[in-house]
Amino acid sequence: DAGVTQSPTHLIKTRGQQVTLRCSPISGHKSVSWYQQVLGQGPQFIFQYYEKEERGRGNFPDRFSARQFPNYSSELNVNALLLGDSALYLCASSLDPRDTYGYTFGSGTRLTVV
Amino acid sequence: AQRVTQPEKLLSVFKGAPVELKCNYSYSGSPELFWYVQYSRQRLQLLLRHISRESIKGFTADLNKGETSFHLKKPFAQEEDSAMYYCALSPYNTDKLIFGTGTRLQVFP
């Protein structure tokens, strides 16, 4: 099993652009969560999706959106990028949304906004 | 407000010394608490959770509801324990983790 895979690993974007980050969960995991980790801080919850539906949303502006596909993979979209969006974006998968014990994190996508 | 506080950004000890990484939380209820670890160039991974009362790699953590703390302890630190440690809380009936800012543990030979 390849674990949770995220792509791309690194990305550089310009202010105002849009970005899409991708996550493939562990086989059999149906829940995907997204976290933002700004340098020097702990991860901060953005979204959780289960069975293609949004189950939770953190305190992020509407510029952030996500979706989950029938194969349980997920995309995180960020529009109108700001310098402050520069961060490591982590994806975590679990069997179901309450299985915080079973969270498995990916290696993340490092986004730099210039 | 739901919050996790790790007051120390950096903790440096010598091999064989005891280690205590502090974690305090703010939550009006019965939380589920975790410690996550991130070794150099590796992904974030679960170290232990309070509900299972387990010892992993010699580390233990006890939930103290009176002091709202969940400190991580190890009696004898090893060089391979050097890593970033995050305390996290999962509020009841929610689907998320609230992380602290992390403590970097450095164990010198």
Side-chain angles (χ1 to χ4, degrees):
Chain A
D1 192 342
V4 178
T5 57
Q6 293 186 242
S7 62
T9 54
H10 296 83
L11 201 54
I12 300 175
K13 289 286 188 178
T14 304
R15 276 180 298 175
Q17 285 188 314
Q18 176 264 342
V19 68
T20 298
L21 311 180
R22 296 176 176 82
C23 173
S24 293
I26 287 176
S27 177
H29 283 191
K30 298 181 178 181
S31 180
V32 170
S33 300
W34 288 95
Y35 287 78
Q36 181 196 61
Q37 186 173 18
V38 174
L39 194 63
Q41 301 293 321
Q44 187 173 357
F45 175 75
I46 309 175
F47 285 112
Q48 185 180 59
Y49 275 77
Y50 177 66
E51 294 284 11
K52 295 175 288 182
E53 292 190 3
E54 182 181 304
R55 288 289 301 260
R57 184 185 182 110
N59 187 24
F60 280 81
D62 292 342
R63 299 185 296 106
F64 288 76
S65 63
R67 56 180 175 169
Q68 187 176 34
F69 299 97
N71 66 354
Y72 305 111
S73 67
S74 177
E75 287 182 351
L76 174 69
N77 295 284
V78 186
N79 294 322
L81 285 166
L82 304 174
L83 294 180
D85 296 330
S86 296
L88 180 68
Y89 288 85
L90 296 170
C91 173
S93 75
S94 58
L95 286 170
D96 62 60
R98 295 308 323 285
D99 186 24
T100 45
Y101 303 146
Y103 260 33
T104 301
F105 282 89
S107 297
T109 294
R110 183 161 299 283
L111 171 65
T112 302
V113 182
V114 297
Chain B
Q2 300 165 350
R3 185 181 295 117
V4 174
T5 302
Q6 295 179 251
E8 303 143 328
K9 285 191 178 294
L10 174 66
L11 183 62
S12 299
V13 300
F14 286 101
K15 177 183 174 181
V19 169
E20 182 178 55
L21 302 172
K22 291 182 168 49
C23 172
N24 289 91
Y25 66 90
S26 173
Y27 180 67
S28 56
S30 294
E32 297 175 2
L33 286 157
F34 307 84
W35 276 98
Y36 277 81
V37 62
Q38 188 167 29
Y39 300 101
S40 179
R41 302 183 187 278
Q42 294 188 27
R43 58 189 69 190
L44 195 62
Q45 56 187 285
L46 178 66
L47 180 62
L48 54 80
R49 55 204 189 203
H50 91 272
I51 198 167
S52 57
R53 301 186 63 82
E54 56 200 344
S55 174
I56 302 294
K57 300 185 178 183
F59 284 98
T60 59
D62 290 319
L63 176 61
N64 186 322
K65 291 185 178 181
E67 297 182 357
T68 60
S69 68
F70 187 56
H71 302 329
L72 183 68
K73 300 178 183 180
K74 185 171 183 177
F76 306 104
Q78 302 299 316
E79 290 179 66
E80 55 266 29
D81 296 329
S82 296
M84 195 74 184
Y85 291 81
Y86 293 96
C87 182
L89 174 156
S90 180
Y92 176 74
N93 207 31
T94 69
D95 308 335
K96 66 181 182 181
L97 289 169
I98 299 170
F99 286 87
T101 51
T103 297
R104 179 167 299 282
L105 174 64
Q106 289 182 331
V107 182
F108 295 109

